[in-house]
């Protein structure tokens, strides 16, 4: 039977991965919102392209759609990385607590899971940074193509 001191130690060991899951959740929310914005904007541009775009605007709209698609693709990969990291973090909590209760030393497995979860977060952050960089390129494209005379712009 496990005593209260061992239980407290087990709980303390589980807090790190649980905190990691919370941070991962916030990153996932941010990336999901950006992904939804990019996909909605692609739909708007496709509608504009079909309905009322002049031939002069078609290449500009196509370039914006390409950039948005690249952004959405990066965000999708980043969200997958974040989701896998959350899964590994949850697994880490289960392995950590289980090993303490069963009296088995699984430190190597716990370390491997923690390193994998952390690397997936780093990968996700790199993909997110790349998406932001492409977003700035798309914004630059929109700013360069503002109609003369202060007309309304369809900026990203």
């Amino acid at each position: 039977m496990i005593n209260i001191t061992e239980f407290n130690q087990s709980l303390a060991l589980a807090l790190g991965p649980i905190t990691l899951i919370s941070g991962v959740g916030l990153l996932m929310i941010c990336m999901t919102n950006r992904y939804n914005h990019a996909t909605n904007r692609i739909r708007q541009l496709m509608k504009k392209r079909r309905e009322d775009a002049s031939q002069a605007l078609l290449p500009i709209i196509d370039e914006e759609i390409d950039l948005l698609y690249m952004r959405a693709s990066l965000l999708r990969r980043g969200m997958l990385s974040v989701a896998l990291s959350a899964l590994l973090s949850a697994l880490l909590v289960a392995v950590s607590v289980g090993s303490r209760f069963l009296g088995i030393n699984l430190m190597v497995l716990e370390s491997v899971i923690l390193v994998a979860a952390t690397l997936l977060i780093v990968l996700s952050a790199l993909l997110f940074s790349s998406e932001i960089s492409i977003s700035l390129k798309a914004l630059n494209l929109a700013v360069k193509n503002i109609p003369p005379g202060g007309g309304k712009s369809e900026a990203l």
Side-chain angles (χ1 to χ4, degrees), residues 37-48:
H37 174 74
T39 55
N40 287 337
R41 184 68 181 131
I42 287 172
R43 288 184 189 105
Q44 289 173 351
L45 288 170
M46 290 175 70
K47 181 179 178 184
K48 181 177 181 177

Side-chain angles (χ1 to χ4, degrees), residues 15-77:
L15 286 179
I18 290 171
T19 305
L20 184 64
I21 292 171
S22 298
V24 161
L26 292 173
L27 184 58
M28 179 68 94
I29 289 170
C30 182
M31 293 176 86
T32 301
N33 287 337
R34 290 184 69 87
Y35 179 81
N36 288 338
H37 174 74
T39 55
N40 287 337
R41 184 68 181 131
I42 287 172
R43 288 184 189 105
Q44 289 173 351
L45 288 170
M46 290 175 70
K47 181 179 178 184
K48 181 177 181 177
R49 189 180 192 286
R50 275 192 313 271
E51 293 176 357
D52 56 11
S54 68
Q55 289 297 330
L57 287 179
L58 288 180
I60 296 167
I61 291 173
D62 288 343
E63 189 173 355
E64 283 188 59
I65 289 171
D66 288 343
L67 288 172
L68 283 163
Y69 184 80
M70 255 192 300
R71 286 177 55 200
S73 178
L74 287 170
L75 286 167
R76 184 181 48 83
R77 287 186 210 126

Side-chain angles (χ1 to χ4, degrees), residues 12-144:
L13 287 173
L15 286 179
I18 290 171
T19 305
L20 184 64
I21 292 171
S22 298
V24 161
L26 292 173
L27 184 58
M28 179 68 94
I29 289 170
C30 182
M31 293 176 86
T32 301
N33 287 337
R34 290 184 69 87
Y35 179 81
N36 288 338
H37 174 74
T39 55
N40 287 337
R41 184 68 181 131
I42 287 172
R43 288 184 189 105
Q44 289 173 351
L45 288 170
M46 290 175 70
K47 181 179 178 184
K48 181 177 181 177
R49 189 180 192 286
R50 275 192 313 271
E51 293 176 357
D52 56 11
S54 68
Q55 289 297 330
L57 287 179
L58 288 180
I60 296 167
I61 291 173
D62 288 343
E63 189 173 355
E64 283 188 59
I65 289 171
D66 288 343
L67 288 172
L68 283 163
Y69 184 80
M70 255 192 300
R71 286 177 55 200
S73 178
L74 287 170
L75 286 167
R76 184 181 48 83
R77 287 186 210 126
M79 290 185 318
L80 177 63
S81 296
V82 165
L84 288 174
S85 178
L87 179 67
L88 287 175
S89 298
L91 180 64
L92 179 57
V93 170
V95 168
S96 177
V97 171
S99 71
R100 294 286 290 168
F101 282 123
L102 297 174
I104 302 170
N105 184 2
L106 297 175
M107 208 53 155
V108 173
L109 179 61
E110 291 174 22
S111 298
V112 168
I113 294 172
L114 180 61
V115 167
T118 305
L119 288 175
L120 284 167
I121 290 174
V122 169
L123 175 62
S124 178
L126 291 172
L127 290 167
F128 191 51
S129 296
S130 297
E131 184 272 334
I132 290 171
S133 176
I134 292 172
S135 176
L136 287 174
K137 289 178 186 176
L139 183 60
N140 185 36
L141 177 68
V143 168
K144 284 181 179 177

